[in-house]
Amino acid sequence: MRLPEHLELLLTDEPVLDVYSHGPWRVPDGLFEEISARIDGLAADPRAVELTTDEHKLLTLPASLVTAEIFGMLAFLPGGGAIKAGSWSQLPERLLHRHLVNPGPLSTRMTRWDAPGGRWRPPVDWLIEAPDRALAIELARDCLSVLEGIEPLEERRKALLRLYDDPPVCDVNLPKTELREHWHAHAGDDIVAAVPELLGPVGYLEWVCAGLLASYEHLMEAAPREETVEVHLVQLLLQGSMEQVPAELAVALGEDRYGELLQRFTAERRGFKAGAWQERTRAWLVRALVAGAADACRGWLDMAMRFIAIVQGLPGDPWFPKAEWIPVGQFQTDLRRLYAPRRRVVNPLTETLTSVPAAGAAPGTAAGGRPEIATSLVEQPEVTEALAELTRGSAPVRLLISGPDGTGKRDAAQELGKALALGRDPHWVTDNLFTGQRLSDAVAKLHADARDCAGDRLLIIEGLDGIVADPGNGEALAAELHRLLAVHPDLNLVALCDAGGEERIREINPVLPQRFRIARTRPFTAAGHAELFRRALDARGARGTRPAIEAAGALLAATPPTQTLRNARLAPHLADQVVAAARARLEAGEPGAALVVRKQDVPAALDTAQAAGNPLAELSDLTGLETVKHEIALLVAGTHAARLRSESGLRITPPTRHMVFTGNPGTGKTMVARLLGRIYKRLGVLSSGHLVEASRAHLVGEYIGQTAPRTRRLVERAVGGVLFIDEAYTLTQSPLKGDYGHEAIAELVKLMEDHRDDLVVVVAGYEQEMAEFLAANPGLDSRFPKQIHFPDYSDDELITVFGQLAAADGFELAPGTEDVLRSMLRRAPRGPSFGNGRLMRNMLDVAVANQADRVASAAVALTKDPAAKKGAGRDKGTEQAPPTRQELVTLTADDLPPLLDHPEEFFGLYL
C-alpha cells in the first residue's frame, strides 16, 4: 500500500508548503529569505516609506501600509477558507517575521495547518488609506510582484497581475467597496477561474458547493456509507455552528435540494454532537484513504473547510474557520501513521511455524511456488498455454491477450489473477478512463495505477490498443507504459485488446509488444459453441441430449452476431429460450420429470434481433407512404437482381446502401428504418438486421478526443444492422466555435466505408436542413446516393392511423368520432412542427384518459348511491347500471380533446 507519488513529500522532513488545492511543494532553500528581503525593500521604497497605519493589530506600529497589504494577500492567495498545511505553511510568520508585534514560534510539524478567511480583494485593502489612490493601486501590484516564486500561489498571483495590467475604466477614487465591484466585474473568465472569490460570496459559494459535491460522490464510491448528500450537507452546517440554513444555498444548490435541507435541518439538529460527527468523518476518510482515494479525501477536506468559511461569513466574504470544525489535523496524522516508513521486526512465529519442506512440490503447485491454474476456457489453446507457462514461473506476469469480443479474454485475466494469489484483487483499468483526458492527467493516472499495483496486485488494462491508438495521447501513453514496465520490475500486468490489437500497438510503439507474452483468442467452432451451450444448460439446472447439444453448436456457429451479443454470449441466450421451451413441454405432458433438452427443442434458426413476421408485409400494411413503399420495393428488386446476376456468374459491384430520409416529425421514418433492417436481413444483405437509433448526443463528445471513440463505439454496435441518426443536421448547425460535430461526421464517413458490406446508415431530418447537412462535408453526398422523402399524412390517412392505434390498444371508435376528428384536423395548421402520426398517438392518449375518467366516475357514483342501483328498473328515466364491456372499450367524440377556438393552442398542449 503506497501513497500517490505526488503526496509522498508529506512523509518526509523536508520544508514543505502544502496548499491542498495545489499539492505539496518543497520550499527551495533561501527562497523565503529572498522574498522577505523583497518585502523589506518595497516597504523602504521612497513611494511607500511614508505610508503607515496605527490600526493593524498584528504588525509593529506604526506599520507600513505595504506590509499590511502583503499580510492580507498572504491570507487570500491560498484561497478563501482554503487549507494551507505543511512544515513551512506559516507564510506571514516566515515572510513578515520582523514586522510582527508578537511573532509566535515557527513550527516544523508536517501536520500543521490553517485555513485563513482571506478578506483581501483587489485592487487595494490597507493601501486604501494612501492619499494618492493611483499610487496605492500601483503599490498593490508591486506587493503581488514581490511574492513571486511561491509555486502553490503562482496561478492565482499571476491571474491577479493580469487584472492589474488591464484595469477597468473607472474613477480610482471611488469608495473601496464600489471600486472592488468594478474590478471584479471587469475580470475575464480566465482570471475568475483561478480566483473564484471574485464572483462574490454567492458565486464563490456555488463554486465551492460544486467541488464539495464532486469530491463527496467520489469518496462515497471509494468508501460507501449510509448517508444521503442532503444529510451530509446539513451535518456540515451543524458542525460549523450554523443556526439555520443560509438562503444563499438555494442559488448554490438549487431550490429542490435547498428545500430538502430546510426539511432535514431541525430533525438532524436534535441530538447532533460535533465530537461524534468528527470521529465518524475521520473514520470515513481513513477508509477512503486506504482505498486509494487520498486526493479525493484532500479535495473534500479543502471544500468542506471553504464551505464552512463562506456560510459563516455570509452575506460577506469567507470568515476564518476554526480548526476543530473539520478533522484536517487528524487526517494528516492518519496519513503519516498509515504511509510513513516503519521499522519492521520479524515475528519468530513466521519461521517456527513454517511448513515442513517436502522433497518435491506439493500437488497442485507449480515449480515456482504458484498454484497450477485450472482454466475453464473453451477452444483457446494459445491463451491456455500462456496461462500455464506464466503460472509455472516466478517472474512477473506480462501478458497481452488479443481477440474478438466474447472469446474469454476477461475470463482468462480473472483466472490468472486468482492463480497468482497476490493478496489483493486485480485492479481493472479501461480505455474509457483515459479518453479525452489531458496528457498530464492521463500519465499521472497511469503512474498511480502502476505504483499501487507493483508487487502485490495484478493490473489489468482493458482496451490497451484503444488507449495507444488515441490520436491525442496514445503515443505518449505507450511510451510511458513502456517506461513503467522498466521502472517497476515487480509489476504484474495483463493487457486486453481487440483482434489484431498487438499489431495496432506495434504500429505506434514497436518496442512495447516485445515486453509482453502475446496470446490470441479466436472465434468458436461448432464444437466450442456446443460445449458452451452444455455449460449454459448446467447453469440453468438442465441437461441436453448429444444430438441437441450438437444441433445447438451448429446453430450458434451459423448465427450472425448482433451488437454485443456474439461468440460465447450466444450460448446463454439460446439456452434461455431452449430451457423455457423444454420446461413448457414437460409441464404439459410429463410434470415432475427431469429437465432434459432434446433436439426438437432447439430452433432451426436463432433470431438475435427478436423480430418475427414478414417485414415486407408489414411495410405494405402501413397507412399511406406510397412513394416510400415504391422506393423500398425498387431497393428490394435491385438486391434480387444482383443475386441472380451473381448466381449466373456475372460480376457485380455491391451498391452503396446508405440513404437519407427527409420529412416532418411523425411520418414513419424510424419505423421504416427498422423494417428496412429486417428486410435486408431476410435478403442476406445484413447479418442481423437490428436497428440502432442515435442522435447528436450519441456521436459528439464534450471535450477533445472523446468524439471519435464515441462514434466508433456507436458504429460497432450497429454493424450487421441499420444505424439510424435522427436530426443528423444538428451535427453541422452548432453555433459554438470548435464544435466537434464535424469530427463526428469525418469519423462516420470513414467507418461507413470500412463496414459497407454489413452496415446501412440512414440519416434523417427536415428536407431543407438535410440538404444543408449533405453539403457540409464533401464526402457525404456521394455516400448517401438514395434520398427518400416521407410526405405528411392526409386527413383520411391520419384518421386511419388513429383507428389502427386505437384498435391495437383494444378500443373501438363510436359512430361520429371520426367526423369530429376530421373536423379538428381540417382546422389544424400544417407547419414543419405538425406531428402527423405522433400527433395521433398523443390525441389517442388524451381520449383514453378522458374515457377512463368518464367510465370510472359513473362506476363510483353508482357505488356511492346504492339506492339508485336498487331503484334501477322502477324508474326508467333515472335508471343507472354499471358500464358494459362495450362501453369500456368504446371511445366517443366526447372523449376527444376539446375543439379550441385557436387550434394552435391544442397542438401546443398535446404535442
Side-chain angles (χ1 to χ4, degrees), residues 577-595:
Q577 299 182 25
V578 170
V579 169
R583 184 171 287 115
R585 172 173 51 77
L586 288 177
E587 290 175 354
E590 306 174 43
L595 189 58

Side-chain angles (χ1 to χ4, degrees), residues 435-436 695-714 731 734 736-745 747:
T435 301
S695 62
R696 173 188 167 88
H698 296 90
L699 292 147
V700 179
E702 301 170 3
Y703 40 78
I704 295 174
Q706 190 184 34
T707 297
R710 183 176 286 189
T711 304
R712 282 196 299 271
R713 285 194 295 269
L714 182 68
L731 294 172
S734 174
L736 300 176
K737 183 179 180 181
D739 179 71
Y740 305 130
H742 290 278
E743 181 183 350
I745 293 174
E747 186 69 18

Side-chain angles (χ1 to χ4, degrees), residues 541-784:
R543 65 182 181 86
T545 64
R546 179 177 296 178
I549 292 176
E550 291 176 353
L555 170 62
L556 293 171
T559 300
T562 301
Q563 301 192 56
T564 57
L565 188 58
R566 58 184 64 236
N567 294 312
R569 299 168 190 159
L570 288 167
H573 180 75
L574 175 61
D576 286 334
Q577 299 182 25
V578 170
V579 169
R583 184 171 287 115
R585 172 173 51 77
L586 288 177
E587 290 175 354
E590 306 174 43
L595 189 58
V596 179
V597 173
R598 300 172 183 169
K599 185 176 181 180
Q600 57 266 35
D601 296 322
V602 180
L606 180 61
D607 184 10
T608 54
Q610 297 293 307
N614 186 343
L616 286 170
E618 292 178 33
L619 178 66
S620 178
D621 291 340
L622 294 179
T623 301
L625 303 177
E626 298 306 323
T627 56
V628 175
K629 295 174 185 177
H630 176 68
E631 294 290 344
I632 300 296
L634 291 177
L635 294 175
V636 173
T639 303
H640 279 303
R643 176 176 296 174
L644 292 174
R645 294 190 189 98
S646 177
E647 292 173 352
S648 299
L650 299 175
R651 181 178 179 181
I652 62 170
T653 301
T656 300
R657 296 186 173 88
H658 311 302
M659 58 189 73
V660 179
F661 286 179
T662 62
N664 291 330
T667 50
K669 298 187 291 295
T670 306
M671 183 166 48
V672 170
R674 182 173 287 106
L675 291 173
L676 182 66
R678 293 169 55 197
I679 290 170
Y680 276 147
K681 166 73 164 52
R682 287 171 65 94
L683 295 174
V685 173
L686 296 176
S687 60
S688 66
H690 65 283
L691 178 76
V692 174
E693 296 184 56
S695 62
R696 173 188 167 88
H698 296 90
L699 292 147
V700 179
E702 301 170 3
Y703 40 78
I704 295 174
Q706 190 184 34
T707 297
R710 183 176 286 189
T711 304
R712 282 196 299 271
R713 285 194 295 269
L714 182 68
V715 171
E716 287 167 3
R717 285 178 50 209
V719 169
V722 174
L723 174 58
F724 181 78
I725 305 175
D726 200 11
E727 297 181 345
Y729 52 84
T730 57
L731 294 172
T732 59
Q733 287 187 343
S734 174
L736 300 176
K737 183 179 180 181
D739 179 71
Y740 305 130
H742 290 278
E743 181 183 350
I745 293 174
E747 186 69 18
L748 180 64
V749 167
K750 176 183 179 299
L751 294 169
M752 286 166 58
E753 189 63 28
D754 293 345
H755 301 285
R756 62 175 296 167
D757 294 335
D758 200 17
L759 173 69
V760 171
V761 177
V762 177
V763 292
Y766 294 107
E767 190 169 13
Q768 179 61 37
E769 284 80 352
M770 291 306 296
E772 296 171 359
F773 166 74
L774 294 175
N777 184 294
L780 279 178
D781 197 35
S782 61
R783 284 173 171 80
F784 291 98

Side-chain angles (χ1 to χ4, degrees), residues 75-262:
F76 176 80
L77 283 176
I83 296 174
K84 172 168 59 72
S87 57
W88 279 41
S89 59
Q90 297 168 281
L91 295 181
E93 291 83 352
R94 292 188 179 275
L95 299 178
L96 302 172
H97 187 79
R98 76 177 192 86
H99 299 278
L100 298 177
V101 65
N102 187 23
L106 293 176
S107 171
T108 57
R109 290 183 300 110
M110 190 65 76
T111 55
R112 193 212 165 273
W113 70 278
D114 61 74
R119 287 180 171 270
W120 180 88
R121 294 289 185 277
V124 286
D125 190 11
W126 283 93
L127 280 166
I128 198 76
E129 298 181 20
D132 185 347
R133 187 66 63 80
L135 174 62
I137 294 175
E138 178 182 340
L139 287 173
R141 188 196 187 285
D142 292 342
C143 289
L144 280 171
S145 297
V146 300
L147 295 177
E148 181 183 4
I150 307 175
E151 185 176 317
L153 312 182
E154 277 296 276
E155 182 182 5
R156 289 166 60 87
R157 189 189 70 87
K158 290 178 179 177
L160 291 168
L161 283 177
R162 292 198 298 274
L163 182 57
Y164 279 94
D165 292 338
D166 180 26
V169 179
C170 66
D171 183 5
V172 296
N173 293 308
L174 289 171
K176 182 167 69 172
T177 302
E178 295 183 31
L179 187 61
R180 284 178 173 178
E181 290 177 357
H182 281 286
W183 278 61
H184 297 176
H186 183 68
D189 289 346
D190 61 326
I191 297 174
V192 175
V195 193
E197 293 92 332
L198 301 185
L199 296 169
V202 177
Y204 185 52
L205 175 63
E206 186 174 15
W207 182 87
V208 168
C209 287
L212 177 63
L213 294 178
S215 57
Y216 174 79
E217 291 173 0
H218 192 97
L219 282 182
M220 288 296 281
E221 293 179 0
R225 61 176 181 172
E226 295 296 326
E227 179 191 74
T228 65
V229 66
E230 289 78 17
V231 170
H232 181 73
L233 292 171
V234 167
Q235 292 184 345
L236 262 181
L237 291 171
L238 293 172
Q239 185 70 6
S241 303
M242 298 297 294
E243 297 294 328
Q244 59 187 0
V245 180
E248 290 84 352
L249 285 174
V251 178
L253 298 172
E255 294 181 3
D256 292 342
R257 181 161 280 169
Y258 171 71
E260 288 269 351
L261 299 188
L262 288 176

